[in-house]
Amino acid sequence: MITAKTKIAGIEFDSYIFNASGIKDGTLEELEEIGKSESSAIMLKSCTIEPRKGNEKPREINLPFGYFQSEGLPNLGYRKYLEFIPKLKQYKKPIIASVVGFSLEEYRVLVKTFQESEVDLIEVNLSCPNIVEEGLPIVYNFEKIKELLDKISNLGEKPIGLKLPAYLCYVLQEKMADLIKQYNVPFIASINSVGNALIIDPGKETTLIKPQKGFGGLSGGYIKPIALGNVRRFYELLKDKVSIMGVGGIKTGQDAFEFLLAGADAVQVGTTFEREGVNCFQRINKELEEILEKKGYSSISDIRGRLKYL
Ligand code: DHB
C-alpha cells in the first residue's frame, strides 16, 4: 500500500489532504478535532487583527453543487489563535496560520507575529471575496501586491504563501506568477471562493443570503474546473519553484487525483469537510491511495503535474 505523503515548501505532510481555511476551524475545539483527524495539517481560520462577528445571518447555504456564503470573516482575532498554537502542537502535524489585513501594515504585523510563533507555514489570504475594499481589490492590483511583498516576504524563516482568487485570464496569472518569482513566496493556495456570485430563490423571488444584497462567494463542485484551470496555469508558470495547494471542489479521491495531475502538491478540503465532518480526510486520502496503487504509481511525485495533452 502506498502512502500519499507530500511536501509543501520543503515541509513534510503525512498525506495529500487537509482542511481549507474557513470551515469549522475558528475555535480551539474545532481545531483540536482537525488535529485528531487524518487531516495532514491544521489550517487555522483566516484571522484579522481585531475579533469580528461577521456578516448578518442568514449568510451561508449548502446547495447541491457546493457552498455559497458571505460570512464576512468572523474570527476571534489573531491573539486568540496565537494562544491556541502551543495546544495544537501536540498533534504533531504542520500548523498553518491564515491572515487577512485591512491594510499593508496590518498584513505586516500579522505575518511578523506568526513568523515569531510556532506555526509552520503562513497563508496570506489576499482574496476574501466578501470584504468590500475601496478601489480595485488588492489581488488584482499588482503594484500593491508588490508593495505588500516588499513588506512581508523577508520577516522570518517560515514559508509564506499567497491564497489567490480565480484569475480568469492568462495575463493576470502570468503577472501574478512573475511577482511570485521575484520574491520569497514558496507556496500558493489556489483558488479562494469565487466572489460576486448571486443565487436566487425563484419561488420566494428573493436572494438566498442576507449580506451584500445577496452577493457572495461560491465554493465546492461549482468551482472545481476553475480551480483546476488555475492550478494548472500556475504549475506551468512556476513548476518546481513554488509548491501549490489546490483548493476548490475536492470531494473524492478522484478529484484529488485530478488536482495532482494538474500540478498540486496537496489539496485543501472545505465544502466537503463542512458537509461530512472530519471523516472526509481519511476517506479522500484512502480513495486517492487506491487510485495511485491501481495505476501503479508509488508516490505523489511520480505523477504530479503529468497531465497528458490530446
Ligand atoms: C471569507 C470568505 C473567504 O472566501 C475567505 O477567503 C475569507 C473569509 C468570509 O466571508 O468570511
Side-chain angles (χ1 to χ4, degrees), residues 86-231:
K87 298 186 181 109
L88 297 174
K89 289 304 270 188
Q90 63 173 303
Y91 299 104
K92 304 212 177 324
K93 49 178 90 167
I95 300 174
I96 312 171
S98 178
V99 300
V100 175
F102 291 108
S103 65
L104 301 190
E105 178 55 18
E106 285 194 4
Y107 272 114
R108 193 193 64 75
V109 170
L110 290 163
V111 172
K112 174 92 179 133
T113 310
F114 281 106
Q115 280 288 3
E116 288 161 3
S117 77
E118 282 193 276
V119 297
D120 298 279
L121 303 101
I122 303 167
E123 179 186 86
V124 180
N125 185 351
L126 296 184
S127 47
C128 172
N130 302 323
I131 299 296
V132 181
E133 295 174 66
E134 252 180 58
L136 196 59
I138 184 168
V139 84
Y140 299 109
N141 183 339
F142 294 96
E143 275 168 35
K144 210 158 166 195
I145 298 176
K146 194 168 168 29
E147 244 184 275
L148 176 69
L149 291 174
D150 277 325
K151 283 182 190 285
I152 65 167
S153 61
N154 281 309
L155 294 174
E157 296 297 311
K158 298 181 201 300
I160 65 164
L162 304 181
K163 174 109 179 233
L164 299 176
Y167 287 120
L168 299 181
C169 85
Y170 181 69
V171 177
L172 296 178
Q173 293 159 341
E174 197 180 29
K175 276 192 177 171
M176 193 64 236
D178 282 347
L179 265 184
I180 287 168
K181 279 190 266 183
Q182 284 170 40
Y183 288 87
N184 178 21
V185 179
F187 76 91
I188 60 169
S190 172
I191 58 174
N192 208 323
S193 331
V194 174
N196 286 291
L198 179 64
I199 301 188
I200 290 172
D201 180 330
K204 293 195 203 141
E205 303 173 8
T206 62
T207 63
L208 282 192
I209 57 173
K210 190 169 171 75
Q212 290 170 300
K213 294 187 174 169
F215 285 89
L218 204 54
S219 320
Y222 290 115
I223 69 166
K224 188 183 115 184
I226 303 172
L228 277 172
N230 272 259
V231 166

Side-chain angles (χ1 to χ4, degrees), residues 28-46:
L28 182 58
E29 293 68 37
E30 289 173 327
L31 290 164
E32 292 208 284
E33 275 295 295
I34 296 167
K36 287 176 204 155
S37 78
E38 286 202 18
S39 175
S40 65
I42 306 177
M43 168 70 84
L44 308 184
K45 167 86 188 152
S46 286

Side-chain angles (χ1 to χ4, degrees), residues 252-269:
T252 63
Q254 185 178 307
D255 297 322
F257 183 68
E258 290 172 24
F259 275 84
L260 178 57
L261 282 173
D265 293 276
V267 290
Q268 303 179 359
V269 178

